[in-house]
Amino acid sequence: MKKLLVASAIVAAQLMGSAAAAGPWEDGMAAYNRGDYVPALRLFRPLAEQGNAKAQKVLGIMFRKGEGVPKNPARAHMWFSLAAKRGEAGAQAELHEVSRTMTVQEISQAEAMATACEASSYRQCEY
């Protein structure tokens, strides 16, 4: 009986430890995959503002599709552009795809937003 209690305690501690090890990225992806876009956005935004290219790409997808935010091709373009500059796989293709739906003026606006965002160390990123 004692061995069973000890074994149960060890398993519980391991499960709690692995749950505690999950970070904002993992929690954000879990929320996103469940379709809980607002909590996902709250988790991804600080990561993107810290320069996390994967989070920047996901924000771009969310703005392109209107998931948890109003659809906004310019903001999607901005985040895809930032992610592509950081070498995020697939961000360049997403950037090309969203650009096909935008006017020259919208692309220009998105590029200005990306420049301002990057120049301010992600403090002046318009949402």
Side-chain angles (χ1 to χ4, degrees), residues 51-62:
N52 183 310
K54 290 191 296 187
Q56 291 169 343
K57 179 180 158 189
V58 174
L59 285 181
I61 292 168
M62 294 176 80

Side-chain angles (χ1 to χ4, degrees), residues 90-126:
Q92 189 65 43
E94 293 281 2
L95 183 61
H96 176 71
E97 190 63 31
V98 77
S99 294
R100 292 177 44 194
T101 67
M102 299 171 69
T103 66
V104 173
Q105 183 180 5
E106 289 172 325
I107 292 171
S108 179
Q109 176 192 9
E111 289 172 351
M113 288 166 56
T115 300
C117 179
E118 197 170 35
S120 70
S121 297
Y122 302 99
R123 281 179 249 141
Q124 294 180 3
C125 300
E126 295 183 39

Side-chain angles (χ1 to χ4, degrees), residues 30-42:
Y32 182 84
N33 289 331
R34 283 192 312 268
D36 291 336
Y37 300 123
V38 173
L41 183 70
R42 287 185 185 136

